[in-house]
Amino acid sequence: MKRFRNKEAHQNLINHEVSLVWLRRDLRIEDHAAFYHALKNEEQVLPLFIFDSRILDELEDKDDARVNFIISGLKTLKEKLESLGSSLLVWHGDPLDFFKNHNPKSVYTNHDYEPYARDRDQGIAAILEKKNIPFYTFKDQVIFEKDEVLKDDGNPYTVFTPYSRKWKSKLATDFYNPYDVLANQAHLVQVVPLPFPVIEELGFESTAIQFPERKVSLTTIKSYKEKRNFPAINGTTRLSVHLRFGTISIRKLVQIALEQKSESWLNELIWRDFYAMILWHFPHVQEKAFKPGYDYIKWRNNEDEFKAWCEGTTGYPIVDAGMRELNNTGFMHNRVRMVTASFLVKHLLIDWRWGEAYFARKLLDFDLASNNGGWQWAAGSGCDAAPYFRVFNPELQTQKFDKDLKYIRKWVPEFNSDGYLGPIVNHKEARQRALDAFKEALAK
């Protein structure tokens, strides 16, 4: 068992009278499904967060901004809990080991839909069942999950637009009303502040990356439809990282979207549900193309060209600007994500899984379902009605969405100087090469 300073501080906390709320990607107490049900049904409730060593050990960068973000979010949560006379129990290791070695009265948590999380939770459920410890899980990070939005024939949707229509037709206030967690705050375990790790104890380092505020800008939402595609302006909410780690509630954001009558922004929230549903019903997409024919593509996978793409030195300014923004901030504007992804897959004919993995490494808001869905969309291999011959032209995208070159000049200051190298591929030739490769693969 891995513990932090003041090792004995929590040794006697977990017993047959204490129920645990196990936090994962829901780092808040407000409008929290598992917290609400635990406090409503149990007399002694203690929140728990586990730094999962099986996840952390896979991270390549010791200054990974997401670890920093989690610590920041947990500190905020811990302060809130301590203002209520309770605290947060933090542990570092394999979650299965934790539950093998502790015997709480019950465990409450929220659903996680990723393949690793599903396997982990099944293993923990089995451990707890053997010890007759109830394990309760709840929907929290999406509005509709699993089989809640299906076609009339009972099959899952595989195209977004009809899915979104059914999603909207089923939406009722019960699905986005907030949970009044603090109505039963007296059931929180009263305890002195518990130990909390410094980042070095987890094997990581602090990052210089700045995190967006956990603040909803109504002005941004009102103008979202008109401004969302222009990377040089602040036209998006930058709340994706807060949704990813649950420092803000999806129900709150849906309610705001409805109040502001912003269907465009609501659709972006629906995309999250859609991709989570796809990953749930079609877990093979984590490793393979949603449309099997795309697994026959003969990728070039030129490592030098991949390196140039990663570093933002392709000679295509809009692509280079996007990659440099990602590398320096952990964020990339969504329009530019589509352009950079299309460029890697179509212009360079590099396997979309390479790009997906790089985004997974660098994105502060990385979410497996959405990242995979976005990359397969760019490759044409995923849940999209558009044909494979959609290839973004970086120059036309620049003219349309960054015509004054403000975004490009911010991230590629050497643009239009002798220090900026020419394109590593010719657009017309690369486009035709991609079309030929895709056509040949799909003919099989």
Side-chain angles (χ1 to χ4, degrees):
M1 176 176 178
K2 300 181 181 179
R3 291 185 288 246
F4 307 113
R5 295 160 296 178
N6 304 322
K7 293 181 179 180
E8 293 77 20
H10 68 260
Q11 283 183 335
N12 298 319
L13 274 177
I14 305 175
N15 55 55
H16 292 296
E17 296 181 358
V18 171
S19 296
L20 297 175
V21 177
W22 179 22
L23 308 172
R24 288 98 73 91
R25 44 186 300 169
D26 42 21
L27 309 183
R28 65 186 189 281
I29 191 171
E30 304 84 3
D31 189 14
H32 189 291
F35 243 131
Y36 170 80
H37 289 287
L39 290 171
K40 180 181 178 182
N41 297 319
E42 308 292 348
E43 294 297 322
Q44 292 288 302
V45 175
L46 179 69
L48 161 74
F49 182 83
I50 298 174
F51 280 101
D52 189 334
S53 58
R54 288 197 284 176
I55 294 175
L56 296 184
D57 290 349
E58 295 296 318
L59 299 180
E60 298 181 51
D61 304 315
K62 292 307 174 186
D63 62 347
D64 193 297
R66 291 163 296 192
V67 179
N68 285 260
F69 183 86
I70 291 170
I71 286 180
S72 175
L74 289 174
K75 285 181 177 178
T76 300
L77 175 60
K78 189 170 186 281
E79 290 172 1
K80 174 65 176 178
L81 289 163
E82 288 169 1
S83 73
L84 300 172
S86 189
S87 192
L88 175 67
L89 175 60
V90 179
W91 197 81
H92 177 207
D94 188 327
L96 274 73
D97 290 338
F98 179 90
F99 290 103
K100 286 176 182 176
N101 295 315
H102 292 85
N103 299 295
K105 179 184 177 184
S106 57
V107 178
Y108 289 71
T109 195
N110 291 320
H111 297 162
D112 198 340
Y113 309 99
E114 298 182 2
Y116 163 72
R118 291 166 67 175
D119 289 343
R120 175 200 62 203
D121 289 358
Q122 287 175 5
I124 288 169
I127 291 170
L128 295 175
E129 185 177 11
K130 288 180 180 178
K131 299 195 284 186
N132 293 316
I133 298 174
F135 185 46
Y136 304 109
T137 67
F138 304 89
K139 177 179 66 172
D140 186 78
Q141 61 172 286
V142 294
I143 299 297
F144 293 108
E145 64 172 8
K146 302 177 184 178
D147 295 330
E148 289 186 328
V149 177
L150 296 173
K151 297 179 185 178
D152 291 341
D153 63 6
N155 290 315
Y157 284 95
T158 58
V159 177
F160 174 75
T161 300
Y163 171 86
S164 67
R165 291 196 198 104
K166 178 66 75 69
W167 190 101
K168 292 171 185 175
S169 73
K170 289 177 65 70
L171 186 65
T173 55
D174 287 348
F175 288 101
Y176 59 85
N177 277 341
Y179 288 98
D180 186 7
V181 177
L182 296 183
N184 294 293
Q185 67 185 57
H187 294 167
L188 284 167
V189 169
Q190 300 296 289
V191 64
V192 298
L194 295 173
F196 192 84
V198 295
I199 195 167
E200 289 79 12
E201 290 177 292
L202 301 172
F204 289 84
E205 304 166 359
S206 297
T207 180
I209 287 178
Q210 298 295 308
F211 306 134
E213 290 185 278
R214 182 170 57 171
K215 183 179 180 181
V216 181
S217 169
L218 298 184
T219 301
T220 300
I221 294 172
K222 289 175 181 177
S223 61
Y224 184 78
K225 183 178 180 180
E226 293 75 26
K227 297 181 178 180
R228 62 188 291 264
N229 278 307
F230 300 93
I233 62 178
N234 294 322
T236 62
T237 63
R238 296 293 301 271
L239 290 172
S240 55
V241 62
H242 293 288
L243 277 171
R244 166 62 181 88
F245 292 105
T247 48
I248 197 166
S249 161
I250 181 62
R251 290 173 292 279
K252 177 179 180 179
L253 299 189
V254 166
Q255 185 172 13
I256 291 173
L258 295 172
E259 290 173 349
Q260 299 302 317
K261 297 180 172 59
S262 178
E263 186 170 11
S264 179
W265 195 56
L266 179 64
N267 283 337
E268 294 304 308
L269 300 178
I270 298 173
W271 273 106
R272 293 181 67 254
D273 277 18
F274 176 71
Y275 281 140
M277 179 274 298
I278 290 296
L279 183 62
W280 176 266
H281 285 286
F282 307 98
H284 73 273
V285 298
Q286 184 177 7
E287 303 292 341
K288 297 181 179 180
F290 178 80
K291 301 172 183 174
Y294 286 78
D295 284 327
Y296 291 99
I297 295 170
K298 294 181 180 178
W299 304 106
R300 291 176 62 250
N301 289 345
N302 183 298
E303 293 188 3
D304 290 335
E305 292 180 358
F306 180 66
K307 183 173 183 289
W309 178 82
C310 292
E311 295 176 349
T313 56
T314 67
Y316 282 85
I318 190 72
V319 175
D320 294 343
M323 296 308 297
R324 295 184 194 187
E325 180 185 31
L326 173 64
N327 292 333
N328 283 278
T329 69
F331 173 81
M332 190 194 298
H333 188 278
N334 190 60
R335 167 59 55 175
V336 187
R337 293 189 197 197
M338 291 189 285
V339 175
T340 57
S342 174
F343 185 86
L344 182 76
V345 176
K346 304 290 177 64
H347 284 73
L348 302 184
L349 211 57
I350 289 176
D351 193 329
W352 59 268
R353 281 161 283 237
W354 288 32
E356 180 193 32
Y358 191 76
F359 272 27
R361 176 182 172 185
K362 294 293 184 178
L363 279 173
L364 187 58
D365 64 4
F366 166 68
D367 172 88
L368 173 59
S370 295
N371 190 51
N372 180 276
W375 272 96
Q376 296 225 36
W377 182 91
S381 63
C383 300
D384 185 42
Y388 68 87
F389 48 78
R390 174 189 54 207
V391 180
F392 282 123
N393 182 325
E395 292 182 1
L396 293 180
Q397 291 287 308
T398 299
Q399 292 170 19
K400 192 171 183 180
F401 301 112
D402 191 36
K403 64 179 181 179
D404 296 328
L405 305 178
K406 291 181 180 179
Y407 177 74
I408 285 174
R409 292 190 186 282
K410 177 179 180 179
W411 294 106
V412 190
E414 74 274 24
F415 173 64
N416 265 352
S417 73
D418 293 338
Y420 189 60
L421 301 177
I424 60 175
V425 291
N426 175 275
H427 167 69
K428 184 177 180 180
E429 294 173 357
R431 179 181 183 277
Q432 189 58 52
R433 180 176 63 188
L435 295 180
D436 293 342
F438 275 62
K439 186 176 181 180
E440 178 184 351
L442 296 178
K444 297 181 180 179

